[in-house]
Amino acid sequence: MNKLFCISLFVFAVAVSTVNAQDLNPYHLILKGKIRKSFDLVNQHQYDELLKGVSDKTLEHSFAGDHSLGGKRHDKESLKRWFIRLGIVLPDLKIEITDIQVKGNIFKTIAIVRWTATCTLLNGESYVNKGVHFITLKLGKAVKFDVFEDTKTVSHGLDVQFESGIKEAKAPKIES
């Protein structure tokens, strides 16, 4: 009986290791799907739907750079205003995910999302920016976003949009 238990335990350990090595963890797969959907919601300007996946209790959204999209937000209302501004200053922005890595369990999960953002600025110039989100989730809800991108590219894009008539591109940061 003891030998059977040891063999069963060994088989279980190998199975778990295989699942994790091949990134077949069901929770991680579900989260990756939710993350892809969330980025699609940004592309579609569906911010109310997007914010359903964000914690009501704890929130930190940090976007690098000294420009109208930079700064930190700690509540959903400010985050929604930030997304609305993003849609105004870069109205046809499309973010394409190039990789998602997920680590952790339902109580604390870290997702690293690499992406490429593209659009055409109002002067006809192409905007291309690569970046990464570090997203912390607890019980399936996002509680922290650290966003890193080429801040020089963002600043240039905002300058072009401002010069083309989008005054919001030079507005003060939305912080809370």
Side-chain angles (χ1 to χ4, degrees):
M1 181 74 172
N2 198 14
K3 187 175 183 180
L4 181 59
F5 176 76
C6 288
I7 292 171
S8 297
L9 186 59
F10 175 75
V11 169
F12 177 75
V14 169
V16 168
S17 295
T18 302
V19 164
N20 287 336
Q22 295 181 14
D23 201 17
L24 298 175
N25 180 314
Y27 174 66
H28 292 179
L29 291 174
I30 290 167
L31 273 184
K32 285 180 179 185
K34 284 185 158 193
I35 290 167
R36 288 186 189 285
K37 181 179 181 188
S38 295
F39 277 77
D40 286 342
L41 292 171
V42 172
N43 290 340
Q44 298 164 17
H45 301 238
Q46 295 182 8
Y47 310 126
D48 288 327
E49 186 67 24
L50 170 70
L51 291 172
K52 290 178 183 177
V54 175
S55 173
D56 291 319
K57 297 177 184 175
T58 307
L59 173 62
E60 183 178 321
H61 177 266
S62 173
F63 194 91
D66 189 22
H67 46 69
S68 66
L69 293 175
K72 288 187 179 184
R73 284 135 300 279
H74 294 92
D75 60 78
K76 278 186 165 181
E77 188 273 328
S78 296
L79 183 56
K80 182 178 180 178
R81 288 188 6 240
W82 184 89
F83 277 117
I84 290 169
R85 176 175 288 169
L86 177 67
I88 291 169
V89 299
L90 299 170
D92 68 339
L93 183 73
K94 295 295 177 227
I95 305 171
E96 181 183 334
I97 294 174
T98 57
D99 185 41
I100 303 175
Q101 297 296 318
V102 178
K103 302 291 180 209
N105 59 45
I106 194 165
F107 299 105
K108 185 171 183 186
T109 312
I110 303 292
I112 302 169
V113 184
R114 290 185 214 166
W115 47 262
T116 302
T118 60
C119 70
T120 302
L121 301 174
L122 292 180
N123 70 354
E125 185 180 331
S126 290
Y127 176 92
V128 178
N129 200 349
K130 293 179 182 281
V132 64
H133 274 63
F134 291 85
I135 305 169
T136 304
L137 301 104
K138 292 185 179 177
L139 300 174
K141 294 275 192 172
V143 297
K144 185 175 182 182
F145 303 83
D146 288 310
V147 185
F148 300 96
E149 74 294 329
D150 182 342
T151 58
K152 186 175 179 182
T153 298
V154 175
S155 292
H156 173 73
L158 292 172
D159 288 344
V160 168
Q161 297 298 73
F162 179 79
E163 291 165 9
S164 298
I166 300 178
K167 301 304 176 201
E168 189 90 6
K170 289 289 183 179
K173 295 177 183 178
I174 297 171
E175 296 189 294
S176 62

